[in-house]
Amino acid sequence: MAFKKGQSGNPAGRKKGVTFTEKLKTALEPEIDGIISALVTQAKMGDTAAASLLLSRVMPTMRDQHRSR
């Protein structure tokens, strides 16, 4: 079957809610509290990757305020 210009190979499109992101969100939702608690615990024990992940999600990037604009 040859490709025809202007004709989609999937005219119905992707079904709603079946993307990888949606599946991942659905699977992780019941575990979010435990995951966050584990990240906080790891960060307190010195895990810099866990601390970096947490801080990157809750704090904006700090910028030099003395720069001329």
Side-chain angles (χ1 to χ4, degrees), residues 19 23 62:
T19 63
K23 288 180 182 179
M62 297 178 73

Side-chain angles (χ1 to χ4, degrees), residues 3-55:
F3 175 77
K4 295 179 185 173
K5 187 174 182 177
Q7 184 177 13
S8 172
N10 186 9
R14 182 173 49 207
K15 296 176 185 172
K16 299 264 187 219
V18 296
T19 63
F20 175 75
T21 304
E22 289 297 321
K23 288 180 182 179
L24 185 59
K25 284 181 183 178
T26 302
L28 289 178
E29 195 169 5
E31 306 296 329
I32 292 294
D33 290 336
I35 292 169
I36 293 172
S37 294
L39 272 173
V40 169
T41 301
Q42 292 289 62
K44 286 181 178 180
M45 292 186 343
D47 184 340
T48 56
S52 178
L53 178 63
L54 288 169
L55 290 174

